[in-house]
Every structure is written in C-alpha cells, then in structure tokens.
Amino acid sequence: MVNFIKENLLGSLKEFRNRFINPIQNGQCADSTPADVRLMKNRSHILHQLMSGFIQRRDYSVLMACLPPKHEYVLSVRMTSLQCQLYTHYLQNYTGKGVGVNNLFQDLHVLSLIWTHPWCLKLAQLNRNKGKEEEPAPVFTGLGAGLVSDSVGYDSEGREATSTGLVGDGERNTDPVSLVSGSNQNPQNPDVTNTATMEISGFVVGNGPSADWYLPFVTAADAKVLEHSGKLQLLLEILHWAEELQDKMLVFSQSLITLDLIESFLLYADETRGNKCCPYKGKKSWVKNKDYYRLDGNISACARKRWAQEFNNTKNIRGRLFLISTRAGSLGINLVAANRVVVFDACWNPSYDIQSIFRVYRFGQKKTVYVYRFLAQGTMEQNIYKRQVAKQSLSSRVLDQQQIQRHFTHRQLNELYCLQPDLRPSKHTEMPADDMLVQLLQSCGQLIVSYHEHNSLLGHREEEELSEEERRAAWDEYRAEKKNSNEPTHRNLNQALQFIHLQQALASRNFTYTTKSVPSATSLPVKQGNAERSAAWGTYNNSNITFRLEQPNAVFSVPKTNT
C-alpha cells in the first residue's frame, strides 16, 4: 500500500524486511534482549516518521469524550473435565499428521468445537451429513478466521453461501474434521483415514481422524448437560443478571454451530422453565424473534433491517438478546439498544472482534458499555488472543508511536499445540468496576480462572518514550545502515578498476601466470595465463594491493594511489 502511494520509500521487500519487519518483531516480546528492544523502538520511530506525511489514522479515542464509558473484560474460562479429556486425546493422537498451515486448519476447527461444548462435535457431524443429502457442496469455501484470507462465498441473493469450514467461516455445514470425504479407514488404526484428502483453496490436507472419533467420550445425554461447558454456563448466568438489570445483550460467535448450540439451550430452558433441570435461572421466556433474534449469512437484508429496528425500539422490552455471526453482523449494523456484548470466541484477526464491539459502542449509546471476551484457558484460543494483542501493539507502535508493554514471550506467541489447564482454585481478591462481573465472580467464580481489562495490555507507557537525543541517534543509525547497504556495489566497481590497472602493469613486464585458489574472501580474480606450474593471487586492503607470484617467489605491493 505504501509502495503504491510513494514508490521505493521503504525500499524493496527484502530491504523492508531487514530494516523494519525483523527488528520490530524481534523486540516486541517479553523475553527480547535489551538491544533488540532498543532497535525495535528506533525502527518503529523511523517507520512512523517516514509514513507520517501521507498516512492519517483516527480511532474511537477521538470520540470517547462524546460516548459513555466502556469496560472490556477478558475472562479466562476453565475447561471442564470432559473437554480436557477430548482435547488431550486429540492432541496426542491426531495432531501433527498434516503438513504446515493446512494441518492447523483442521486442528483449529476440531479443537474449537471441543472448547465450546463437546456436543458441538456431534452437531458438526449432523450438519455435515445433512449438507451431503441436500446438495453436494465443497467442504471448504473459505479459510476463515483471518488465517489466510477472508473468502466466504455468497449466493445470488448476496447471502453467505452455506459450506463447511473452520471456526470463523460462519458456515453451517461443518464436520468435526471438515477434511474427510469418505470412510476409507486404516485397518490398523480405525480412527485415522488412509486416503481422505480434500482440496482447500489450492491446499491439500489428508490423514485426519474419522468423523466419529469422539464417540467413546460423548453420548446423546451430553446434549443437555450445561456443565460440560464453562463458557455456556457463564453466558446463561450473564443473561440472567442482564434480565435483572433490564440490559440488552449481543452475543457474537464465528461459528454457526455455536449459535445453534446456544439456541438449543435457550429452547431447552424455555421448555423446562420452572423445573429443577432448567439451565436458566431467569423468569422470562425465550421465544425466537420475540425474546431473542439471530443474524447470520442466511438472513435477508429486509429481515436484518426489520429485526434491528425492533431490537432498538425502546418500547420493546421483551426482545433482549441478539445472536450474531461475527462475519455477517460485525459491520454495517447499529444495535445501540444493547449495552452488553459477549465475544464468545477469539479470532485471529483482531479487527473482527473490535468491529463487533462497536455495534453498540457508537453514537446513540446512552448506557455504560460492558464487553466480555471468553477465552478457553490454557488452549490454542488463549494463544490466538495473545497474538491479537501483539498485532494491536504493533499497530499502536508504528501508526500511533506509542510504547506498549511487552507481555508475552516468543514461545508463548508461537506455541499453539498445548493444553495447560490451571487446576488451582480461583482466588479473586480484586473486584472489578462492573457489578455484574462481581456477581459472576461470587456465584460461579471457579469457572473463571482469571480476568483482566483488555485495554490494560495496550496502554501507552510514557516512561519508555524515546528522548530527542535517542531519536536523532536512531536516524543516524538508520542512515548509516542504509548507506552501507548501498556501498558494496561501488566498492566492487572500484576494486575491478584497480585490478585492471594491475593487470596492465604486469603485462608491460611480460609476466605469464595462472590462477590458484585465493587465500581470503577479499581476494581478487586473476586472469588465466599460459605459464606451467606457476600461480598468482591478488589481495587488497585499505591502503595496498598485493600481488604474489609463486614462480619466481616475489611479492609486489603497490599503493592504491599509484595504480
């Protein structure tokens, strides 16, 4: 983008990588060396100054004086024992069977189903089989979640086309592995398919687990067990307290399977209302398009507009929840009637989660806004969130010239395949400003391993700003490096001219010579001659050019100025 506006301002891609990308990335982690951190700050400053003349950036901070307060909490949710069993089993038996990023697609999809609720594995298989019966659709149409590209398909009416995919593709027909297109299994290991391969936007993935690998762990009775998912327990508890406070809510998820599961529990709560087995503690009903609405890629533009207007109507006290697919509803919709937002799962691309929050935090909002980001503690999802923070920190450093604290090590950002559940009892000594979160910590605090405010990780640290002297030194260092990178071309040209002069001087003395392996990296090539068993080599330094003949045994050293 910058190269299009100002060609060659940042040099070639190789130069840009060596001068900016690598130094900045190396210095933004908690375990970076002091030298790397200093270089990162210097190059971030240089890059910001280079682009300051033609890039203007404004975010919501310029509107904060006109908007009510916003509190954004990140909740690390404890995985249940069944989820840990499934997660561990998959890591030990099925990860590492693919190659590169393609294997990550498969693993991320399956693991995300596990940390949502174990029954999602069954829902995914049912939807996959249903999709096969209705219409043979490709297994993947989009890579989803910002991993490679945002390539969700659309039908002729402009709605999202249904297909299977990862968490984040917002599609309905999903499979627990999404990559298996047959039942040809390895007889030695019935859980691993032999020839199942699927082409994904040019990539090929194979050797995934069978579609029913989870059956030893999940039964039909688990479909109605709320206690198998810490995230769902917290969600229904938040819905209960929002009902008490008469606050409206938005729930965003990247997966339609997750939205299906939430809907099924709301329906179950409505059917069992008043009974001990009811998973919802509130008193009100849950009727679709009355008490709650759902927006995904299959919703027409007319229905989308009508439901948004009904939800925002201040006289409509019944409609209090909007379930939204992140891809379909994170842009272009105004839902300021709600003041509480639950981001049910983390996305690779932080812009999706940020845009979801700003469906409510915008002009027209009258209440304090509360945001709850759910993360499955100790899983890949938590590391995805850490990468979100690293990306936002990088943006703040370069575009806003802010100094952000380095929270995560290189290993924490790169290690995705691990499960590190915190088994210690939760102890919440400090209470947040949000009264609802205080109630959550008291009623179901063991489900929350820890919490923090998201913006606390992105605060500007004035004490780490570069002084004027350090900024001048950064420019001097950058200009010197840029100059040195251009010098070898001129130096090589001068060396070639010097050696031509030396050849001419030797030719005038009727020397004949042959070349021999030269003794150093700075040696100059010597023209092939016709003398037998004689050799020569030439070297140079800052003051002299040296030429040695093996026969006769003589060394000539000539000052550069005389050549």
Side-chain angles (χ1 to χ4, degrees):
M1 180 182 68
V2 173
N3 202 47
F4 177 77
I5 301 297
K6 288 205 169 187
E7 190 173 2
N8 295 327
L9 175 68
L10 303 177
S12 65
L13 178 60
K14 181 180 179 180
E15 292 171 335
F16 180 69
R17 180 178 291 110
N18 291 334
R19 293 172 185 170
F20 295 104
I21 295 179
N22 294 337
I24 292 175
Q25 287 183 343
N26 291 338
Q28 65 176 355
C29 294
D31 57 347
S32 299
T33 65
D36 287 339
V37 173
R38 181 189 62 82
L39 184 58
M40 176 270 294
K41 291 182 179 181
N42 292 347
R43 293 307 162 88
S44 297
H45 168 70
I46 298 297
L47 188 56
H48 173 80
Q49 292 297 317
L50 288 174
M51 299 187 300
S52 60
F54 55 90
I55 289 184
Q56 291 184 345
R57 168 180 156 97
R58 298 292 183 270
D59 59 13
Y60 74 96
S61 60
V62 300
L63 304 176
M64 289 182 64
C66 307
L67 294 173
K70 174 176 70 73
H71 300 280
E72 190 172 342
Y73 297 101
V74 180
L75 308 182
S76 294
V77 184
R78 194 184 305 277
M79 293 254 285
T80 64
S81 59
L82 179 58
Q83 287 175 312
C84 289
Q85 291 178 29
L86 285 164
Y87 204 99
T88 303
H89 179 77
Y90 188 87
L91 289 181
Q92 293 177 349
N93 294 278
Y94 306 120
T95 56
K97 297 185 183 299
V99 178
V101 72
N102 301 325
N103 191 49
L104 179 60
F105 293 156
Q106 169 183 311
D107 297 336
L108 171 61
H109 173 57
V110 179
L111 296 176
S112 65
L113 296 176
I114 295 173
W115 67 56
T116 298
H117 190 288
W119 188 247
C120 287
L121 296 167
K122 183 63 176 180
L123 289 178
Q125 185 180 10
L126 293 175
N127 286 340
R128 165 71 174 149
N129 294 336
K130 180 181 178 181
K132 280 184 176 180
E133 294 173 0
E134 293 177 352
E135 182 179 356
V139 176
F140 272 71
T141 60
L143 297 179
L147 278 173
V148 174
S149 64
D150 180 11
S151 53
V152 179
Y154 290 84
D155 61 19
S156 59
E157 298 181 6
R159 297 172 298 188
E160 278 182 63
T162 56
S163 66
T164 59
L166 305 171
V167 168
D169 68 353
E171 311 304 339
R172 181 175 299 274
N173 301 329
T174 53
D175 187 324
V177 290
S178 296
L179 308 171
V180 180
S181 60
S183 58
N184 187 4
Q185 296 181 342
N186 188 331
Q188 282 77 23
N189 188 352
D191 284 342
V192 179
T193 50
N194 240 351
T195 60
T197 60
M198 207 62 199
E199 191 169 325
I200 311 171
S201 298
F203 299 100
V204 177
V205 181
N207 288 338
S210 63
D212 57 355
W213 68 271
Y214 58 88
L215 290 182
F217 302 92
V218 181
T219 64
D222 296 322
K224 297 181 180 180
V225 180
L226 182 68
E227 290 72 18
H228 285 334
S229 171
K231 286 188 175 185
L232 281 175
Q233 293 181 70
L234 283 178
L235 176 62
L236 292 185
E237 193 71 17
I238 291 175
L239 288 173
H240 168 222
W241 287 107
E243 177 184 318
E244 295 291 328
L245 297 173
Q246 297 183 355
D247 287 343
K248 294 188 177 184
M249 280 183 54
L250 306 184
V251 176
F252 286 91
S253 177
Q254 300 176 74
S255 171
L256 294 187
I257 294 178
T258 300
L259 298 183
D260 290 342
L261 184 69
I262 295 173
E263 273 198 281
S264 67
F265 271 100
L266 293 178
L267 177 62
Y268 179 61
D270 204 48
E271 293 174 349
T272 58
R273 186 153 45 102
N275 299 333
K276 292 183 179 180
C277 61
C278 180
Y280 180 65
K281 299 178 182 179
K283 299 178 181 179
K284 293 185 178 181
S285 61
W286 289 108
V287 179
K288 191 172 184 177
N289 297 336
K290 295 292 183 181
D291 299 288
Y292 76 94
Y293 304 88
R294 171 169 170 165
L295 192 157
D296 56 39
N298 296 314
I299 304 302
S300 66
C302 294
R304 177 189 179 114
K305 182 178 180 180
R306 183 176 70 253
W307 291 342
Q309 291 174 344
E310 291 180 8
F311 187 79
N312 286 328
N313 189 347
T314 56
K315 297 180 180 179
N316 180 14
I317 60 174
R318 184 172 178 179
R320 60 193 188 277
L321 173 64
F322 222 125
L323 303 177
I324 303 176
S325 167
T326 303
R327 291 299 182 90
S330 63
L331 289 173
I333 188 170
N334 186 339
L335 296 171
V336 293
N339 69 312
R340 297 187 186 270
V341 179
V342 172
V343 181
F344 203 84
D345 35 45
C347 179
W348 290 95
N349 190 340
S351 64
Y352 286 113
D353 293 347
I354 294 172
Q355 290 297 333
S356 299
I357 295 168
F358 287 99
R359 299 312 94 210
V360 302
Y361 191 61
R362 57 197 298 129
F363 284 130
Q365 181 58 253
K366 304 298 182 183
K367 296 183 176 181
T368 301
V369 173
Y370 299 95
V371 181
Y372 310 97
R373 294 173 177 250
F374 287 178
L375 300 177
Q377 188 272 327
T379 65
M380 185 185 292
E381 185 177 38
Q382 198 165 37
N383 288 330
I384 291 173
Y385 170 74
K386 292 176 182 178
R387 293 192 180 191
Q388 276 194 15
V389 174
K391 292 175 183 178
Q392 288 185 264
S393 300
L394 176 62
S395 174
S396 297
R397 287 191 181 100
V398 174
L399 297 179
D400 300 327
Q401 204 172 12
Q402 294 184 351
Q403 299 299 331
I404 311 299
Q405 184 176 354
R406 300 168 300 281
H407 300 280
F408 311 114
T409 65
H410 287 90
R411 181 177 181 181
Q412 287 175 327
L413 293 175
N414 295 325
E415 181 60 60
L416 294 176
Y417 289 94
C418 64
L419 176 61
Q420 298 174 333
D422 191 339
L423 304 179
R424 297 171 298 177
S426 301
K427 294 181 180 180
H428 307 291
T429 56
E430 297 183 3
M431 291 294 106
D434 179 19
D435 293 336
M436 180 184 291
L437 185 53
V438 172
Q439 295 290 343
L440 289 176
L441 294 175
Q442 293 175 352
S443 61
C444 48
Q446 292 305 312
L447 296 176
I448 303 174
V449 178
S450 62
Y451 73 92
H452 65 269
E453 286 209 44
H454 177 70
N455 291 335
S456 66
L457 302 182
L458 301 171
H460 174 49
R461 300 170 64 89
E462 295 183 0
E463 65 274 13
E464 293 191 13
E465 287 185 350
L466 295 178
S467 64
E468 288 299 325
E469 183 178 353
E470 289 174 328
R471 294 181 182 186
R472 287 193 297 268
W475 274 108
D476 293 340
E477 181 186 33
Y478 171 71
R479 292 190 182 103
E481 180 179 317
K482 190 175 180 181
K483 181 180 179 181
N484 292 335
S485 65
N486 296 328
E487 280 186 357
T489 301
H490 305 294
R491 186 163 56 241
N492 292 340
L493 179 60
N494 292 333
Q495 293 166 6
L497 292 174
Q498 290 168 356
F499 191 73
I500 290 174
H501 296 157
L502 182 59
Q503 284 181 317
Q504 293 173 349
L506 293 174
S508 65
R509 296 171 182 246
N510 295 322
F511 285 127
T512 58
Y513 52 88
T514 183
T515 58
K516 184 181 179 182
S517 58
V518 294
S520 69
T522 57
S523 298
L524 299 173
V526 180
K527 182 180 178 181
Q528 180 73 37
N530 56 11
E532 295 182 359
R533 298 182 62 79
S534 66
W537 49 260
T539 63
Y540 68 91
N541 54 37
N542 291 333
S543 58
N544 293 326
I545 294 180
T546 302
F547 191 87
R548 174 176 175 172
L549 294 177
E550 192 173 90
Q551 294 180 358
N553 188 11
V555 175
F556 297 89
S557 181
V558 185
K560 285 184 178 180
T561 54
N562 297 332
T563 59

